[in-house]
Amino acid sequence: MAKKTFWLTFGIFLLLGMVGVATLIPTISLLVENLPQNIPNAPNLSSTQLIFLLLLNPFILLIISILVGNWLAPRIGFTSHVVDWIAKKSLFWKLFHPNLSSGILAGVAVGVIFIGLDLLFRPYLPASLQVQPVSRGFFTTLSSVFYGGIVEELMMRWGLTSLLVWLIWKVFASGPVPRPWVYWLAILISSFLFAIGHLGVTAQLAPLTAIVLMRMILLNGLGGVVFGWLYWRRSIETAMLAHAVTHITMSCILWGTDLIISK
């Protein structure tokens, strides 16, 4: 990737990622407001300062992920329409349009499967882990679409999956380009790590029983595999679209169900 393309791509991805991180503010603000006032040795910080600190970590990870992805992704065959748009001076829509249906269909399918799996697990889960319309409110859906669809894809696919493919290829494989099994292994590892990353949040909501852990890994891991495959075979933007559509689909199903029941 040419130096100019590298930094222009970095700027565009960073700007998009900042929008995604910003959508966390309403949820984090509510979290900060509900913090107990008697926490031992709590830092003497204002709500604004606490929100800034909580947003700082994903922002730093975002920057690192974009830099890693910009350096490695083009070297190992991954595609970005933003990169091609800048490097080849082609219209972005012309490049992205052929993958539009793949991203939308995959996102709808994953969203429907998620709701179906949630219904399957529901009899064995505490109420705190059961997906309800109230848990998919406007701000939750907004952050899921923009933070999940942009920031998490830049972190988990553009950054982490690219790094894993490159490392596995250099350490365990040979040849001028990575073989398919290298990509699959990297996708599976990054999907598992993404699922495990939800351990802390899950532990706050419910005891970590075998069924709770199985649900956490299956639901989050499945999405990672689908989005990872789209990243590999289509583009990072297609994976972003599918991730965003997944959350839109889940919210629409839950809102529609709640509307029918309320009538």
Side-chain angles (χ1 to χ4, degrees):
M1 187 187 296
K3 186 175 181 180
K4 180 180 178 181
T5 303
F6 184 102
W7 289 112
L8 280 175
T9 301
F10 174 83
I12 292 171
F13 280 162
L14 182 62
L15 182 61
L16 292 172
M18 288 171 65
V19 172
V21 171
T23 61
L24 294 176
I25 292 176
T27 304
I28 292 179
S29 299
L30 185 61
L31 175 67
V32 169
E33 288 175 7
N34 293 331
L35 281 176
Q37 301 300 315
N38 56 350
I39 298 177
N41 303 317
N44 186 22
L45 298 173
S46 66
S47 297
T48 302
Q49 290 171 322
L50 282 173
I51 293 170
F52 174 79
L53 288 176
L54 290 170
L55 293 175
L56 187 60
N57 185 52
F59 182 69
I60 292 173
L61 290 175
L62 172 67
I63 291 174
I64 294 171
S65 299
I66 297 171
L67 290 173
V68 170
N70 281 11
W71 179 51
L72 292 178
R75 300 168 184 256
I76 49 181
F78 287 126
T79 300
S80 165
H81 301 311
V82 170
V83 172
D84 291 341
W85 168 47
I86 295 170
K88 301 176 183 178
K89 295 180 171 58
S90 300
L91 291 175
F92 177 84
W93 178 250
K94 183 179 179 180
L95 296 168
F96 183 47
H97 182 264
N99 294 322
L100 190 64
S101 58
S102 298
I104 293 174
L105 290 174
V108 170
V110 173
V112 171
I113 292 172
F114 277 10
I115 295 295
L117 288 173
D118 182 71
L119 291 174
L120 185 65
F121 280 105
R122 184 165 294 192
Y124 312 102
L125 297 174
S128 58
L129 278 181
Q130 295 178 10
V131 180
Q132 303 290 343
V134 68
S135 66
R136 300 290 302 188
F138 174 76
F139 287 115
T140 301
T141 301
L142 186 70
S143 64
S144 297
V145 169
F146 286 94
Y147 184 83
I150 298 174
V151 179
E152 288 183 353
E153 287 305 307
L154 287 172
M155 289 180 182
M156 303 307 300
R157 251 58 70 183
W158 190 245
L160 181 59
T161 303
S162 298
L163 178 60
L164 288 171
V165 168
W166 185 81
L167 287 173
I168 296 168
W169 175 39
K170 292 298 183 182
V171 175
F172 300 105
S174 59
V177 294
R179 297 177 182 176
W181 71 264
V182 174
Y183 292 99
W184 276 118
L185 183 57
I187 289 169
L188 292 173
I189 292 173
S190 63
S191 300
F192 178 75
L193 291 175
F194 178 68
I196 292 298
H198 291 77
L199 189 64
V201 174
T202 304
Q204 292 177 0
L205 295 174
L208 295 177
T209 61
I211 195 74
V212 167
L213 290 172
M214 185 186 303
R215 173 188 177 274
M216 179 191 75
I217 293 173
L218 182 59
L219 265 65
N220 293 292
L222 174 64
V225 171
V226 174
F227 306 146
W229 182 85
L230 288 170
Y231 173 42
W232 172 30
R233 306 306 297 178
R234 298 291 187 269
S235 66
I236 183 61
E237 291 82 9
T238 310
M240 288 178 178
L241 176 63
H243 196 147
V245 171
T246 293
H247 289 291
I248 294 172
T249 300
M250 292 173 64
S251 292
C252 286
I253 291 174
L254 290 168
W255 294 342
T257 304
D258 185 55
L259 184 62
I260 293 171
I261 293 173
S262 64
K263 288 183 178 181

